[in-house]
Amino acid sequence: MPIPFVKDIDFEYGKAQSVSPLVRRLIARNPGPFTYTGTGVYIIGEGDVAVIDPGPVLDEHEAALDAALEGERVSAVLVTHHHLDHSPLAHPLARKHGAPVYGRAAPERHNPLSGDQPVTEEGADAAFTPDIELQDGQTISGPGWTLEAIATPGHTSNHVCFGFAEEAACFTGDHVMGWSTSVVVPPDGNMNAYLESLQRIRAREFETLWPTHGPPITRPDRFLRAYIGHRLQREKQIRDQVAQGRTTPEDIVPKLYSGVDKRLWPAAAMSVKAHLERLKENGEI
């Protein structure tokens, strides 16, 4: 089954738009091959609010977020993971409102095959440390809203999604994106963990998924079945390449990703490496 990607998104940079009864979204002007139209910052509730993934430190974006929150109190700043398009503005925003930052600390290891240089455009916020280290199942609440931390390692080891009880929704960060598949970058990313985390979100039967990049996914079960199926099909292709004597990402990527923008090949190499590690972990190669 092909992935039923969702790519159409109606937005205006610098403007917080209501996307559901209790949710507003403000998109940062940091578009790119890994961020789509940019980082979507979610504001939950009214008056006393939570902010999920405040995004990058850009003057225009920070000013727009301050304007969107004028007259309101941020009681919680939540971060799905430590990449530069998600977490850097978390502490500056929290300090303005006297709010704690919730999340999981950046791991010590970030980079795979390419030395000290990040292999994805987003890069890592290696110094990210939350004020409150989230535990799986922990809830954060305010007037009219409740958010539940759901540990979803895979894209990164510290990735967390946030279930939103009042709207049967989930804020999925980079774990699930409607416009694209997610990158899994070893050694911090792990394909076994990623596939297990996808199944975990699917089992919750949310009605809507809100990724940090791109539009919402309104048929999550159908989408996630295809998302998981795509990964397993790609893994079969990689297994076949190994059987033909191609055993490194550098050998495999040009064969399997010939029609993909070459700017994405370094990220594709990381996902291939993650699949190779999973096959090895599972005793298949």
Side-chain angles (χ1 to χ4, degrees):
M1 176 194 302
I3 300 174
F5 285 121
V6 186
K7 298 187 177 184
D8 292 335
I9 181 168
D10 181 19
F11 76 100
E12 180 182 337
Y13 285 121
K15 181 179 179 181
Q17 296 171 294
S18 178
V19 292
S20 81
L22 292 171
V23 179
R24 286 165 283 165
R25 181 184 62 206
L26 172 69
I27 297 180
R29 198 188 299 270
N30 61 331
F34 295 98
T35 58
Y36 199 39
T37 59
T39 299
V41 182
Y42 291 104
I43 302 168
I44 317 302
E46 293 183 2
D48 193 327
V49 305
V51 176
I52 299 175
D53 282 349
V57 178
L58 301 171
D59 290 345
E60 176 193 58
H61 173 57
E62 187 170 2
L65 186 55
D66 287 343
L69 294 167
E70 187 175 358
E72 297 186 294
R73 173 179 177 267
V74 177
S75 59
V77 177
L78 295 87
V79 174
T80 61
H81 65 298
H82 68 289
H83 281 166
L84 288 172
D85 52 326
H86 292 253
S87 60
L89 195 54
H91 282 290
L93 175 66
R95 283 193 293 269
K96 292 176 183 178
H97 293 265
V101 174
Y102 295 84
R104 290 189 165 186
E108 293 182 3
R109 298 182 302 170
H110 302 286
N111 293 320
L113 299 180
S114 58
D116 292 328
Q117 299 303 311
V119 297
T120 60
E121 181 175 283
E122 61 211 46
D125 181 6
F128 174 71
T129 303
D131 298 313
I132 298 175
E133 186 84 8
L134 284 170
Q135 302 302 311
D136 185 41
Q138 184 174 344
T139 58
I140 303 99
S141 60
W145 54 265
T146 306
L147 296 165
E148 176 194 356
I150 305 171
T152 48
H155 174 65
T156 62
S157 60
N158 66 336
H159 198 287
V160 181
C161 292
F162 295 102
F164 183 30
E166 284 76 8
E167 294 189 357
C170 186
F171 298 94
T172 57
D174 285 356
H175 184 58
V176 183
M177 298 186 293
W179 71 281
S180 173
T181 56
S182 185
V183 179
V184 177
V185 181
D188 184 40
N190 180 278
M191 191 61 71
N192 264 331
Y194 182 65
L195 289 169
E196 290 169 5
S197 295
L198 285 176
Q199 292 286 12
R200 187 176 191 206
I201 294 298
R202 184 184 172 203
R204 294 292 299 267
E205 298 183 343
F206 292 110
E207 294 179 7
T208 307
L209 304 181
W210 292 99
T212 297
H213 308 288
I217 299 161
T218 57
R219 298 182 62 185
D221 187 71
R222 174 173 174 263
F223 189 91
L224 288 169
R225 279 190 290 113
Y227 221 54
I228 293 165
H230 168 80
R231 286 290 184 183
L232 297 178
Q233 177 62 29
R234 182 67 79 194
E235 188 164 280
K236 179 182 181 301
Q237 294 171 340
I238 292 168
R239 193 187 299 113
D240 291 344
Q241 291 294 314
V242 172
Q244 295 173 39
R246 300 182 185 94
T247 59
T248 69
E250 292 82 0
D251 292 335
I252 294 171
V253 167
K255 295 292 182 181
L256 298 188
Y257 293 85
S258 59
V260 173
D261 185 340
K262 288 189 177 181
R263 292 178 299 170
L264 301 179
W265 279 18
M270 294 304 99
S271 282
V272 169
K273 179 176 171 61
H275 277 293
L276 289 170
E277 289 188 352
R278 171 177 142 84
L279 290 168
K280 183 178 179 182
E281 288 172 17
N282 295 349
E284 297 186 49
I285 60 172

